[in-house]
Structure formats: C-alpha cells, structure tokens
Amino acid sequence: MDNFYKGKTLVISGGTRGIGRAILLKFAKAGANIAFTYNSNEELAQTQVKELEKEYNIKARCYALNILEPETYKELFLKIDEDFDRVDFFISNAIISGRAVAGGYTKFMKLKPRGINNIFTATVNAFVVGAQEAAKRMEKVGGGSIISISSTGNRVFIENYSGHGTCKAAVEAMVRYAATELGEKNIRVNAVSGGPIDTDALKAFTNYEEVRDITAKLSPLGRMGQPEDLAGACLFLCSKDASWVTGHTLIIDGGTTFK
C-alpha cells in the first residue's frame, strides 16, 4: 500500500466483533491509527486497544456509542479530536439486534413502526450524523473516504429481513447523495454490500444454519462469506487505487445474488 495508510486515522462504529473487528484489523495492519466504538463491553474494547497498539505499533482508542442515539456522534468526535490530529476514513458499521429490532425483524404482516424506526435510526440516521462529523474533519486534511456497510438483503429476499433490507436500500441511496455533495471536498462515499457473512449477528438469526447452508450452495465459490471478505473491500475503497470510485455500492456476495 506504499505506506499510504501510515499516520492516517480510521473511525469505525462497532469494532469489537465480526465485520467491524475484521475491518479495523485490516487497517491497523496497513498502518492506520484506529478509533472505534463499542456498545457495552468496555473491558473487551480496552483489551483490543492494547492488543492493536502492541501488535501493529499504531495508536488505538475506543469510545462508547449507543447507535440508537446518533446525535451523540457529535460529542464522540470531539473526544476523537482530543486523541487524534486527523480523520481520514469513516466506516458506519454498527448494527442493532435483540429487543431493539422487535417488530422490525419479522414477517411483513407482523412489522411494527417502532422496530422499523429503530433499524432506520441505527442504519440511516447514524450514517448521516457520523458521516457529517467525519466529513468536517476530512475537509481539513484535504479529503477522505466514507463507507456504509450494507447488505444484499435489499436486493434479494431474506426471510424476516424486510425491515433491515428496506433500511439498507435507504442507506445506499443516502450514500449516493452524500457522494454527490461531498465530492467537491475530495471526499468519496461508497457502500459495501455483503451477502450473508458468518458473524455472531447472523448466528442470532433463528434460521442461521439454513442460511449458512443455502449460501454455500448458491455461491459458485461453495462457501459462506467471512468478515475478512468485506474488510478487504473497505481497504480498497479507501485506497489511492479507488480514487475515482464514489457513489458506488460494491457487492461482496460470492456470486449468490445472481442465482
């Protein structure tokens, strides 16, 4: 990567597990400093900070964030300003699960406004506020790259996923609007849309084993996606090699949406 990432800073929401964890490891290995958020497990987050700094000789910090209160991103970025002298990359990755998605993760006829609203807040509103704050900092250093993690569940049917899938379609539209308006500041905005990825979040689905087996059968590559598959796409989109890629949704699905 020609030391491109060395001394630059990645801000990512939801960095303790799954896709977020894989992404920050990929960027840390490339030399970037890491500012990541966690929901509740501060002990785990602080342990990861120490591990990142020791293993990759970079600066890492963690911050608590409730993704259902996206307006708190403003305070969070002020804390990041105290710890880092620049922001170059922002990845909106954190999601919600459990009780917060009740009425949102279900069949169409059982959907409830509150559940859908919570998913929209965590997906679209959180992306908007986080990207706004990140863009203010990126402008000061001559540009940057913003990414929202999305899902092919807005393109193909996944049982009980209508609430999530619709909100992912919305965030991809927001990405295109942001890209169009922020381009003059040399800030690129893209989405990375993953097919079913083998994470703890997916394991929480009631039909996890079925999804896993069907995905492996659908993919010409014969396997389910791994968090590292999306991490590599994110690293590419933030690199110089992607300097003319913006307003785009990069689909990483092992070929499953074609079948």
Side-chain angles (χ1 to χ4, degrees):
M1 286 293 177
D2 190 30
N3 289 328
F4 173 75
Y5 291 94
K6 190 172 181 62
K8 295 182 178 178
T9 304
L10 165 70
V11 178
I12 179 170
S13 64
T16 58
R17 296 184 301 165
I19 295 168
R21 171 82 172 150
I23 291 171
L24 67 82
L25 285 174
K26 182 75 75 172
F27 277 75
K29 188 175 182 179
N33 296 317
I34 308 293
F36 68 94
T37 75
Y38 63 92
N39 180 33
S40 58
N41 196 336
E42 181 179 5
E43 184 178 354
L44 174 61
Q46 293 290 359
T47 297
Q48 290 187 181
V49 165
K50 294 175 184 176
E51 291 174 349
L52 286 167
E53 293 191 331
K54 181 179 180 181
E55 178 73 19
Y56 300 106
N57 195 30
I58 53 120
K59 183 175 184 177
R61 294 291 184 272
C62 61
Y63 310 87
L65 174 69
N66 180 355
I67 206 69
L68 287 174
E69 298 176 355
E71 64 277 4
T72 60
Y73 255 127
K74 296 182 179 181
E75 298 171 18
L76 187 150
F77 268 88
L78 291 176
K79 294 177 183 177
I80 292 174
D81 290 339
E82 295 176 2
D83 295 329
F84 298 89
D85 60 0
R86 59 187 294 150
V87 172
D88 302 272
F89 318 112
F90 172 66
I91 299 179
S92 184
N93 164 72
I95 60 172
I96 58 170
S97 59
R99 186 177 299 178
V101 298
Y105 175 61
T106 187
K107 295 184 181 300
F108 175 78
M109 291 300 290
K110 294 184 178 180
L111 288 170
K112 304 292 184 184
R114 183 174 181 177
I116 299 172
N117 288 343
N118 281 346
I119 298 170
F120 189 91
T121 295
T123 303
V124 183
N125 293 345
F127 165 75
V128 169
V129 182
Q132 287 172 340
E133 293 302 313
K136 294 173 186 176
R137 277 81 179 168
M138 292 176 184
E139 189 174 5
K140 295 177 181 177
V141 296
S145 178
I146 295 171
I147 297 172
S148 177
I149 300 299
S150 186
S151 162
T152 55
N154 76 80
R155 296 169 179 265
V156 297
F157 176 80
I158 299 176
E159 189 175 3
N160 296 326
Y161 202 74
S162 57
H164 290 277
T166 300
C167 291
K168 292 298 189 182
V171 83
E172 289 184 21
M174 191 66 78
V175 159
R176 294 190 290 271
Y177 273 90
T180 303
E181 296 186 24
L182 293 176
E184 64 182 15
K185 304 178 189 298
N186 195 34
I187 298 171
R188 297 181 297 103
V189 190
N190 294 285
V192 171
S193 178
I197 305 295
D198 203 5
T199 64
D200 289 343
L202 188 67
K203 287 184 174 71
F205 281 29
T206 54
N207 58 338
Y208 161 73
E209 292 184 358
E210 180 185 359
V211 171
R212 178 195 62 196
D213 295 344
I214 290 175
T215 301
K217 187 178 294 185
L218 282 175
S219 173
L221 302 176
R223 68 172 176 86
M224 194 170 190
Q226 298 299 316
E228 293 74 19
D229 294 319
L230 296 194
C234 290
L235 194 73
F236 163 70
L237 285 174
C238 289
S239 73
K240 289 186 292 185
D241 291 336
S243 63
W244 211 47
V245 181
T246 196
H248 179 68
T249 295
L250 180 56
I251 298 175
I252 310 294
D253 70 341
T256 57
T257 56
F258 180 69
K259 285 191 174 182

